[in-house]
Each structure stands twice: as C-alpha cells, then as structure tokens.
C-alpha cells in the first residue's frame, strides 16, 4: 500500500503528532461580548476539530486592548455584530482553559496565535467596559504614523473605510509592548495551550515594523532590515525566555515581486517593503538560532479568500516559498490554497512538513479523517465566516454517507472535483 505522506508521525517541540493536517488559525469573531473571551460554542468548535495527535492553531487572540480591533472592516461583522477574543485578563484565560481541556481530552494539541494588529485596530475598544476603567494604552499604534489607505480591491483583507492615523510607538514603549506579549504568553501557558504562535504575518504590527513601506523610524527599530526585524526578535527572545523555544512558534507571510506586474504577489492591509526578497530571507534564516517549535508560512497566492469554493484561483497558483525550505531547518508548515491533492503532493515532495487548512477545515470538523478516507467534503459558506452564532460555526456535520438525505443543508463535494476545478477555468 502507498504511504499517505499526510498521515505519518512528526515531532513538534516536545509533542509527538500522528498526522500532518493542521487547523489554520481563523478569526471567527464570535467571542463573548462581555469578557472578550471564548464561549461554550468556541469550546465546541475546537473540540469538534480536535483529533488524536493532530495540531490545531487557534484563531488570532489579541494580547492587549491596544492590539484589538473591532473588526467592523468585515461586512458580516458590521451587519451581525461579533467580537474577537483576547487573552490579557484572568476571565479570558480561565475561559481558554476549557478550550484546551476539550482538545486535550481528544488527544489533540493546540497552539495559541498571539496578535497585535497595530494600525489595523480602532480606538473604539476603549469604550468596552473591561477596558474603559483601565489605563491600558489604546489603538491604533504602529511603527510610524503611516496611514492605512483605503482600498477598493475585492477581497476581505482590504480596507474599505477611513482609518485613524496610527501613533508611532515611542522607543521607550517597546519594552512595554514586549511585556504585553509576555503576559499574553504566560496566560496562554496557564490556560493549557501547548505552544504560542507569534502572528508576524498579514500586515499586522510586527510586519508594520519589518516593512519599510510603513516603518519610517529613525531609531534602532527602523532603517536597515536588521533594525526593522529587531522588534520581532525581541519578542521571540522574551517568549523563549518565558516558555522555552519548543513552546514558541511563528507565522510569517513572505512575499516577492511578481515579475509580470512589478508588484508584490500578495499584499495585506497595504503593507509593502522595497526589499521584500532580502527581508524574509534574513528573518527566516535568523530563526534557526532558537530553534522554535514550528514556522508557519503563508503561500502568497492571490485571491485566496475572496471567492467561492469551486472558483478559487488560489489553488491553481504554484508554491512560491520553496527557497525557505533550504534556509530554515525546523518544522515548516504551509498554508494557503491547499487542496487535498496538492497538500499530499507538497508533503510528499518535502516542500513542507505539515499543511494547515483554513476554509476546508472550517467546514469539515473531521477533515483529517475525510482526507485519510477520501470522503467528500462539506462546501463552506463564506457568509458565516465572521460574526453571528452557531450557524456556520458548530453546525458543519461530520461525514455521513446519508448526509444528503438528512437535515444538513451543507452540500458535499467529492475531493477529486476540487482537483478537477484546476482545469475548469
Ligand atoms: C475566516 C478566516 C479567518 C482567518 N483568520 C486568520 C487569523 O486569525 N490568523 C491568521 O494567521 N490567518 C487567518 N486566516 C488565514 C488562514 O489561516 C489561511 O492562511 C487562509 O484561509 C488560506 O488557507 P486556505 O486556502 O486553506 O483557506 C483566516 C482565514 C479565514 C478564511
């Protein structure tokens, strides 16, 4: 029998995992509106997706009020309401413990993605009751007072409103910022998360420091790529000192210039860098010094989030992160536009050690088993990605041959048709 490369064991930090199908971090904007912590539904959502020896990565969890946007940039959150969770208070920490316990009970492993959104956040969080009485610094802050421009490009990562000009963090404030990460990491550890993942991707605060399109600083956090990456490495070192390297992980979204257009392959929240090629080579090579539990890389595949399941141009795009495989010696996870067959190929060809699935895991709580058995997948419903209640959150069924005859309103698609979509356009 041919060995399925996705279902072979692998060690990540101190943990031994039994397969390589990872839940990608996904914001669902369904936190408790009072505590800004997870709810009972959040526990169910992660529990449903846990599997024996499988890795789940949490949605982005905010490290402080200053890190926290209200996410009204997403039209469904504007319409349905919806909060994003944090992990800076005791109540939030205790509530996350229920999530990790549910995952561990099923033999799963879970990483806590820590996020500071920088200039993407709005000052409105200051009105929230758990923030109003405190002296917590408020957003938006960034490396420099570089405005986030409006964008009329299609896709959920684009910004369609007037953003408030961010305040440039003072040099002396950076140590306080690093301490905010440490508090959140300690809380994550107390809550039982197996790893913390530093979200240094997708145009948020750390990338706003790394990239010279935003970072115009004249102190030792600006200028050269070494200086622009200084914040990232100060955070890594602080968290490694708190938890040890094998409990710390990182997400990056390297990108390069598309020779056909002269622009970056993928841009998040308007963040660009004139030295994109060198910048990520430098950062990724330097990560070898720790060594961390894993590095999650986003493939810069255009349009990954803006389209319907079977009309998704991202799955036609080639992998572009191959050169990092030679630069980085640790566990490498890939995410972005993977199909069941392209994930198998990528791990089989040793392009990545593990593959994180976003949208297909969102709609298939038992995705690892379906991939192993070749069962059809539930199609996802974009309208319920962000905000709202249990519909589109905890009501995606596990696979059943009788699904189409029962109450589930989610359509099934054969896995080989997802591959066939490659040739359909
Ligand atoms: C609803 C949704 C929310 C997301 N939220 C996050 C997030 O909180 N943190 C993050 O790093 N990436 C986030 N992403 C990106 C995913 O981790 C992943 O890279 C993306 O979905 C592409 O993978 P896919 O093609 O398998 O869906 C999100 C994606 C989706 C669809």
């Amino acid at each position: 029998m041919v060995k399925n490369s996705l279902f072979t064991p692998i060690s990540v930090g101190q943990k031994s995992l039994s397969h390589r199908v990872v839940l990608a971090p996904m914001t669902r904007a369904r936190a408790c509106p009072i505590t800004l912590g997870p709810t009972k539904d959040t526990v169910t959502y992660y529990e449903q997706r846990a599997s024996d020896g499988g890795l789940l990565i949490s949605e982005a969890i905010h490290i402080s009020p200053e890190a926290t946007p209200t996410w009204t940039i997403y039209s469904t959150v504007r319409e349905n309401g919806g909060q994003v969770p944090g992990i800076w208070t005791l109540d939030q920490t205790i509530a996350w413990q229920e999530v990790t316990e549910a995952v561990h009970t099923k033999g799963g492993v879970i990483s806590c993605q820590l996020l500071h959104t920088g200039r993407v956040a709005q000052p409105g969080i200051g009105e929230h009751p758990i923030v109003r009485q405190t002296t917590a610094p408020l957003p938006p802050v960034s490396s420099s007072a570089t405005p986030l421009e409006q964008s009329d490009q299609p896709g959920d990562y684009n910004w369609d409103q007037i953003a408030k000009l961010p305040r440039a963090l003072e040099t002396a404030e950076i140590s306080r910022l690093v301490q905010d990460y440490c508090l959140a990491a300690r809380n994550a550890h107390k809550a039982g998360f197996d790893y913390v993942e530093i979200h240094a991707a997708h145009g948020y605060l750390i990338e706003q420091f790394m990239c010279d399109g935003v970072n115009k600083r004249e102190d030792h956090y600006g200028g050269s790529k070494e200086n622009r990456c200084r914040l990232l490495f100060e955070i890594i070192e602080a968290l490694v000192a708190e938890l040890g390297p094998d409990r710390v992980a990182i997400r990056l979204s390297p990108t390069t210039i598309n020779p056909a257009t002269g622009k970056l392959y993928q841009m998040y929240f308007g963040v660009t860098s004139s030295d994109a090629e060198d910048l990520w080579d430098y950062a990724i090579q330097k990560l070898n010094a720790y060594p961390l539990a894993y590095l999650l890389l986003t493939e810069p595949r255009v349009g990954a989030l803006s389209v319907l399941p079977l009309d998704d141009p991202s799955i036609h795009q080639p992998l572009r992160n191959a050169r990092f495989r030679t630069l980085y010696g640790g566990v490498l996870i890939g995410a972005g536009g993977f199909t069941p067959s392209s994930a198998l190929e990528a791990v089989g060809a040793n392009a990545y050690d593990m593959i994180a699935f976003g949208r297909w895991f969102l709609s298939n709580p038992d995705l690892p088993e379906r991939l192993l058995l070749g069962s059809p997948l539930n199609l996802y419903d974009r309208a319920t990605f962000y905000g709202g209640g249990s519909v589109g959150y905890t009501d995606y069924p596990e696979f059943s041959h009788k699904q189409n005859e029962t109450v589930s309103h989610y359509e099934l698609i054969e896995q080989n048709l997802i591959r066939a979509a490659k040739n359909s356009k």
Side-chain angles (χ1 to χ4, degrees):
M1 199 173 121
V2 183
K3 205 161 73 175
N4 183 328
S5 54
L6 290 173
F7 293 89
T8 55
I10 182 167
S11 294
V12 177
Q14 297 286 326
K15 298 281 169 191
S16 301
L17 304 182
S18 56
H19 66 80
R20 294 155 187 254
V21 180
V22 179
L23 173 70
M26 278 180 293
T27 294
R28 307 304 315 275
R30 286 165 165 92
C32 167
I34 298 162
T35 63
L36 301 183
T39 65
K40 298 287 176 209
D41 269 359
T42 320
V43 177
T44 305
Y45 171 75
Y46 286 103
E47 184 177 33
Q48 288 172 336
R49 283 155 187 76
S51 62
D52 194 20
L55 171 62
L56 306 184
I57 306 174
S58 77
E59 62 211 276
I61 303 179
H62 300 289
I63 63 164
S64 62
E66 181 193 79
T68 305
T70 48
W71 287 122
T72 49
I73 48 170
Y74 295 120
S75 55
T76 47
V77 175
R78 279 203 293 273
E79 285 151 25
N80 305 336
Q83 303 279 356
V84 284
I87 192 156
W88 70 85
T89 72
L90 184 61
D91 284 347
Q92 292 164 352
T93 306
I94 291 169
W96 279 114
Q97 198 167 355
E98 278 192 57
V99 172
T100 65
E101 280 172 4
V103 172
H104 291 153
T105 301
K106 285 181 76 179
V109 167
I110 182 164
S111 188
C112 174
Q113 191 185 56
L114 297 179
L115 177 61
H116 190 310
T117 59
R119 66 179 186 168
V120 178
Q122 308 90 29
I125 194 69
E127 301 305 314
H128 193 280
I130 65 167
V131 181
R132 207 169 40 217
Q133 307 299 335
T134 72
T135 54
L138 293 179
V141 297
S142 189
S143 53
S144 302
T146 310
L148 176 52
E149 305 286 351
Q150 278 175 264
S151 164
D152 57 5
Q153 287 181 40
D156 277 342
Y157 273 141
N158 295 299
W159 185 262
D160 62 359
Q161 325 169 19
I162 306 276
K164 189 170 186 299
L165 189 68
R167 178 177 71 78
L169 283 160
E170 304 281 343
T171 312
E173 273 180 285
I174 304 270
S175 54
R176 185 271 301 163
L177 172 67
V178 174
Q179 283 312 308
D180 289 346
Y181 273 93
C182 286
L183 172 72
R186 277 197 300 275
N187 286 347
H189 183 57
K190 277 186 213 151
F193 282 100
D194 300 286
Y195 319 97
V196 294
E197 176 186 299
I198 301 163
H199 191 342
H202 302 171
Y204 296 117
L205 181 69
I206 297 176
E207 252 195 15
Q208 293 160 29
F209 270 77
M210 291 172 70
C211 293
D212 62 10
V214 180
N215 184 341
K216 309 291 178 193
R217 297 176 75 93
E218 292 179 352
D219 63 3
H220 58 294
Y221 294 94
S224 66
K225 61 180 182 306
E226 292 81 1
N227 278 356
R228 285 179 276 125
C229 290
R230 189 180 303 280
L231 173 66
L232 169 66
F233 287 102
E234 285 185 1
I235 294 167
I236 291 176
E237 277 169 26
L239 299 198
V240 165
E242 287 285 345
L243 305 179
D246 47 13
R247 287 183 169 275
V248 178
I250 179 167
R251 182 170 207 176
L252 291 169
S253 48
T255 186
T256 49
I257 305 288
N258 179 347
T261 63
K263 295 184 176 161
L264 295 176
Y265 275 110
Q266 179 103 47
M267 179 175 65
Y268 299 97
F269 293 121
V271 175
T272 58
S273 207
S274 63
D275 58 352
E277 314 267 337
D278 292 346
L279 176 66
W280 276 283
D281 283 4
Y282 165 75
I284 287 173
Q285 224 156 5
K286 198 168 149 76
L287 290 174
N288 287 310
Y290 294 95
L292 304 179
Y294 64 83
L295 164 61
L296 168 59
L297 291 182
T298 311
E299 281 289 339
R301 304 206 229 205
V302 183
L305 297 177
S306 56
V307 283
L308 296 169
L310 294 186
D311 187 25
D312 179 350
S314 69
I315 68 176
H316 312 301
Q317 306 270 332
L319 299 183
R320 294 212 171 78
N321 287 336
R323 73 180 194 283
F324 301 119
R325 187 57 154 173
T326 53
L327 294 181
Y328 184 68
V331 171
L332 200 59
I333 309 180
F338 283 97
T339 64
S341 57
S342 69
L344 197 61
E345 276 165 33
V347 173
N350 199 30
Y352 286 107
D353 297 300
M354 307 175 84
I355 300 297
F357 286 89
R359 294 162 291 169
W360 290 117
F361 218 147
L362 183 155
S363 59
N364 293 277
D366 52 345
L367 184 68
E369 195 178 331
R370 291 192 198 217
L371 295 186
L372 183 63
L373 301 178
S375 315
L377 304 186
N378 298 321
L379 284 182
Y380 48 81
D381 173 19
R382 293 191 53 80
T384 52
F385 276 5
Y386 303 103
S390 56
V391 175
Y393 192 37
T394 54
D395 67 343
Y396 285 107
E398 290 191 356
F399 178 66
S400 146
H401 290 283
K402 299 218 166 111
Q403 184 170 327
N404 284 339
E405 301 156 26
T406 59
V407 286
S408 170
H409 53 278
Y410 294 108
E411 219 180 299
L412 283 169
I413 177 172
E414 293 292 339
Q415 290 186 25
N416 63 354
L417 290 181
I418 301 171
R419 182 214 281 274
K422 229 177 188 170
N423 306 319
S424 69
K425 288 185 75 182

